[in-house]
Structures are given as structure tokens and as C-alpha cells.
Amino acid sequence: MFVYEKKLEYPVKVKNANPKLAAVIISQYGGPDGELGASLRYLSQRYSMPYPELKGLLTDIGTEELGHLEMVGTLVHQLTRNLSEEQIKTAGFDTYFVDHTTGVYPQFASGYPWSASTMQVTGDVIGDLTEDLAAEQKARVTYDNILRLSDDPDVSDVIKFLRAREVVHFQRFGEGLRLAKDKMNEKNVYYMNPAFDK
């Protein structure tokens, strides 16, 4: 069961509208390596994890990713609230605006809508944890790219916090992978496949 605390994990207080920046940050909401996919990936993978420590790890990180989704959505909202028609046109935000006005919609920065095809759940301990390591690394790279494009210190501060959490999650999944390998039969990392049980 989840308990919702009515505050963001880290404060988001953007003073200036910037639809151009919002249009790239949206990728961390619903892009290929964004927070929506991360949260659903981890919360789905936990069901088939055979070790309670790893179920707990996936639940903890998946829940935190929901909080990150909320933070990214708040960033996008604050960057696009009260836009003038001129700001919408000159920032190239018009195509997004036509479809979603200033609603926060899960999509890639390129405009492609979020899809579950960007995530994987295999039911294999090693496969899923390796996927999770890669997912955290790719999310960190996306945050790095956003930081290169951001000239707003209010936005960059939040992005740096989120980037740091991706690094921590990467480290935790690395620890989880080591724990899984220690618990599994050393001759048979593919423990579900009897052909490797020799």
C-alpha cells in the first residue's frame, strides 16, 4: 500500500515561463527513459523477484520514481503556465499547445507519445536488474542533456537533484544484482532454465 505525502520530494519553484525548456523536460515525464516508464518498470518487476530484499528495493525505487514523475510534471506545468500567444509561437511550443494546451502529457521531447514498449519486464532476476541498471544510466544521461540546455537556475537545481537520485538508484541496483548472484547457484545464473542446471 502506498501512502501519499502532499509535498514534493524536492521543492520546485520556477519563477519564469520557458515553454522551449518545458518541451525538452517533458521527455523525463513520458519519454523513452523517463520517470513514468521507470516507475511502472520497477513496480511491475517486483512481483517476480524471488528475494524479499529485491522486492523491497524495486518497490522503494519504483515509488520514488512516482515522486520524480510528480516533480517533472510540476516543472513542466510551472514553465508553461500563463503563456502568451507570442511565447507559444516563438518558442516552438505551438505543436504541443495545439494538442494539449498546457496540460502535462506523457511524451518524448520529439513529440512521440509514451509507450510501454520503452520498458521491459522479463521475470528473470538477472535480466530485469540489468535492464534497471541501464535504465538509470540512460535517465542520468537525459538529465545531463537537459542541464546542457537549461539556462534557468530554478530548473537546473531540480534537475541536478533528480540526476543525483538516478546515480543512487544505479548504485542500489548494482548492489541488488550482486545480492541476486550471491543467492543464486553459481553454475546456473539462469535459475529458471533446467537446461543450465548441470
Side-chain angles (χ1 to χ4, degrees):
M1 178 160 91
F2 299 99
V3 176
Y4 179 70
E5 194 172 337
K6 295 183 180 182
K7 67 176 190 173
L8 296 175
E9 182 181 1
Y10 190 84
V12 178
K13 295 181 179 158
V14 178
K15 296 178 209 67
N16 302 311
N18 187 336
K20 192 170 189 174
L21 191 52
V24 295
I25 291 173
I26 197 72
S27 214
Q28 276 303 88
Y29 191 78
D33 305 306
E35 305 294 356
L36 178 58
S39 61
L40 291 175
R41 175 188 301 110
Y42 307 146
L43 292 174
S44 298
Q45 288 175 350
R46 68 190 172 140
Y47 293 106
S48 58
M49 278 293 153
Y51 310 116
E53 303 94 331
L54 297 179
K55 284 180 193 267
L57 176 68
L58 287 162
T59 302
D60 290 348
I61 294 177
T63 303
E64 184 177 354
E65 299 291 12
L66 289 172
H68 295 174
L69 181 70
E70 186 176 35
M71 290 172 61
V72 173
T74 301
L75 271 173
V76 171
H77 168 70
Q78 289 183 9
L79 286 165
T80 59
R81 65 182 171 208
N82 304 320
L83 293 177
S84 69
E85 286 182 29
E86 185 63 26
Q87 287 174 306
I88 292 166
K89 291 175 187 174
T90 59
F93 195 70
D94 50 347
T95 54
Y96 182 95
F97 183 82
V98 166
D99 292 336
H100 312 294
T101 317
T102 57
V104 179
Y105 179 75
Q107 70 175 43
F108 297 26
S110 61
Y112 187 81
W114 182 81
S115 167
S117 66
T118 62
M119 56 177 263
Q120 183 56 269
V121 180
T122 66
D124 178 82
V125 176
I126 302 299
D128 283 348
L129 290 173
T130 303
E131 160 83 10
D132 300 342
L133 282 163
E136 293 297 324
Q137 184 68 2
K138 290 185 285 183
R140 191 223 18 107
V141 169
T142 304
Y143 281 127
D144 284 347
N145 293 339
I146 291 169
L147 283 170
R148 288 183 180 99
L149 299 173
S150 175
D151 58 358
D152 185 327
D154 294 336
V155 172
S156 295
D157 181 55
V158 176
I159 298 299
K160 286 175 185 175
F161 171 83
L162 291 165
R163 181 194 181 282
R165 294 307 300 160
E166 303 298 344
V167 173
V168 170
H169 294 170
F170 180 88
Q171 293 166 338
R172 300 261 334 264
F173 282 129
E175 294 162 4
L177 185 58
R178 283 190 294 282
L179 181 138
K181 287 180 178 178
D182 288 347
K183 288 182 173 270
M184 296 166 83
N185 180 333
E186 290 180 10
K187 295 180 182 175
N188 180 13
V189 285
Y190 301 100
Y191 76 103
M192 300 283 285
N193 187 340
F196 288 93
D197 201 18
K198 297 177 182 173

